Amino acid sequence: MAAHRDSAVGERGFGEGEKAAKATKKTPVRKTPEKTTPVKTTPAKTPARKTPAAGRKPESRTALVRRARRINRELAEVYPYAHPELDFQNPFQLVVATVLSAQTTDLRVNQTTPGLFAKYPTPEDLAAADPEVVEEILRPCGFFRAKTKSVIGLSKALVEEFDGEVPGRLEDLVKLPGVGRKTAFVVLGNAFGRPGITVDTHFQRLVRRWRWTEETEPDKIEAAVGTLFPKSEWTMLSHHVIFHGRRICHARKPACGACPIAPLCPAYGEGETDPEKAAKLLKYEKGGFPGQRLNPPQAYLDAGGRPAPPLGAG
């Protein structure tokens, strides 16, 4: 993998004005360095600003598909226990938790929803809830007034339009208050086993770093990435990418020196490349810290992951 090269190239000293004045016709050759030396410094400055991926030949469609699928396979080996990091026991709990996860962490949601679902275990219960009481429960999640309106609203819609059951179709889910395509695919993939790509902020960042697509809009990213993989892999692909984005390939300081797919990454070098320094940037279980869930799957625990602390602990 290419590393950044030092761009400092010292300019060679030239004769001062006095020396130039003393030059005679017998030594015209001394003027040659004045013409050639600046030409030599120009190419030395050009590659210094290149990224590790610069200079590579354009990647063919076939090569892109192969690289993308290899990245997914290697991430599957690193995160064999990848899973949705929101605690849930049924589709209703998952759709509510996913709505609450907007602009906050899954950990914070997982620390908050036990109290919510203990008091309002069904859509019927939450639909009839006092908004002020729900607001106090959801306050730790941030934007609690808007989120209260959304979860009560979607609960009412479930009761009035779907007999209190979460629908298993994309076109129905996106009609619920606060539910967009991202939330819908989380629910479809993890509560109903129907493949979908979850384009959250981590997914968007990583697939662009890996040059799987140059699209910036979530629906276009979803469509572009979806063509690189069999539909059956979409849900687990989302988990692998999101796990990696949370643990290693961070937004501001990616831990490039600790990245298992560094040889496949066109953006290698944007973050810390020193292995020891990079190791200190790792988060969650890869850095010795617990994951996001209070009640994670057994496979996660068997692989060495640890549950998150309950609200107010530590």
Side-chain angles (χ1 to χ4, degrees):
M1 63 190 71
H4 288 295
R5 288 187 286 181
D6 190 347
S7 62
V9 178
E11 296 185 359
R12 296 184 180 180
F14 299 106
E16 302 294 339
E18 294 181 359
K19 292 183 180 180
K22 292 181 181 180
T24 65
K25 295 181 180 180
K26 295 182 181 180
T27 58
V29 68
R30 291 192 178 185
K31 295 182 180 181
T32 303
E34 295 181 5
K35 297 178 180 180
T36 60
T37 302
V39 176
K40 291 181 180 180
T41 60
T42 302
K45 293 179 180 180
T46 302
R49 300 185 67 83
K50 288 184 178 180
T51 64
R56 293 185 178 183
K57 295 181 180 179
E59 190 172 37
S60 69
R61 174 69 181 181
T62 300
L64 170 60
V65 170
R66 288 175 177 172
R67 182 170 63 84
R69 294 185 181 185
R70 183 178 173 188
I71 286 176
N72 188 39
R73 288 195 302 271
E74 297 203 10
L75 291 180
E77 293 181 3
V78 177
Y79 310 111
Y81 45 85
H83 59 277
E85 293 197 90
L86 288 168
D87 284 326
F88 69 98
Q89 296 179 346
N90 54 56
F92 171 62
Q93 290 188 359
L94 180 57
V95 69
V96 169
T98 307
V99 169
L100 296 179
S101 69
Q103 296 179 296
T104 190
T105 64
D106 287 355
L107 172 58
R108 178 56 67 187
V109 174
N110 292 337
Q111 292 171 328
T112 305
T113 50
L116 178 70
F117 295 139
K119 191 171 184 65
Y120 309 108
T122 69
E124 290 81 2
D125 295 324
L126 190 53
D130 181 342
E132 292 186 359
V133 176
V134 177
E135 285 179 4
E136 285 305 307
I137 296 174
L138 300 185
R139 186 179 291 272
C141 290
F143 302 95
F144 57 91
R145 291 189 179 89
K147 290 180 180 180
T148 294
K149 183 177 180 180
S150 291
V151 297
I152 290 180
L154 74 85
S155 297
K156 289 181 178 179
L158 289 176
V159 173
E160 296 170 1
E161 300 177 30
F162 300 101
D163 297 323
E165 298 291 332
V166 176
R169 299 195 312 165
L170 175 64
E171 54 266 39
D172 291 331
L173 283 168
V174 295
K175 294 178 182 177
L176 299 174
V179 178
R181 288 180 68 87
K182 184 194 81 170
T183 297
F185 280 128
V186 170
V187 175
L188 290 173
N190 298 288
F192 293 99
R194 297 175 183 174
I197 294 177
T198 303
V199 184
D200 72 349
T201 55
H202 300 288
F203 194 94
Q204 292 184 52
R205 181 177 74 253
L206 268 62
V207 299
R208 286 177 57 80
R209 275 182 178 169
W210 296 337
R211 297 188 183 177
W212 288 2
T213 179
E214 294 183 356
E215 299 292 350
T216 57
E217 298 178 19
D219 57 339
K220 292 183 178 180
I221 292 174
E222 173 198 323
V225 174
T227 64
L228 302 177
F229 298 88
K231 191 173 182 179
S232 60
E233 297 181 9
W234 287 357
T235 299
M236 287 308 300
L237 167 71
S238 301
H239 293 325
H240 296 153
V241 175
I242 293 170
F243 255 57
H244 192 62
R246 284 176 168 166
R247 287 153 176 79
I248 296 178
C249 196
H250 312 136
R252 296 184 180 179
K253 291 184 178 180
C256 294
C259 181
I261 59 166
L264 300 171
C265 181
Y268 174 81
E270 287 186 6
E272 180 58 64
T273 57
D274 180 83
E276 293 186 3
K277 293 180 180 179
K280 296 179 181 179
L281 300 175
L282 301 182
K283 295 182 180 179
Y284 306 125
E285 75 278 358
K286 287 294 177 183
F289 298 102
Q292 298 274 286
R293 295 186 72 161
L294 290 165
N295 299 297
Q298 189 60 45
Y300 171 81
L301 298 173
D302 292 343
R306 289 188 287 137
L311 183 64

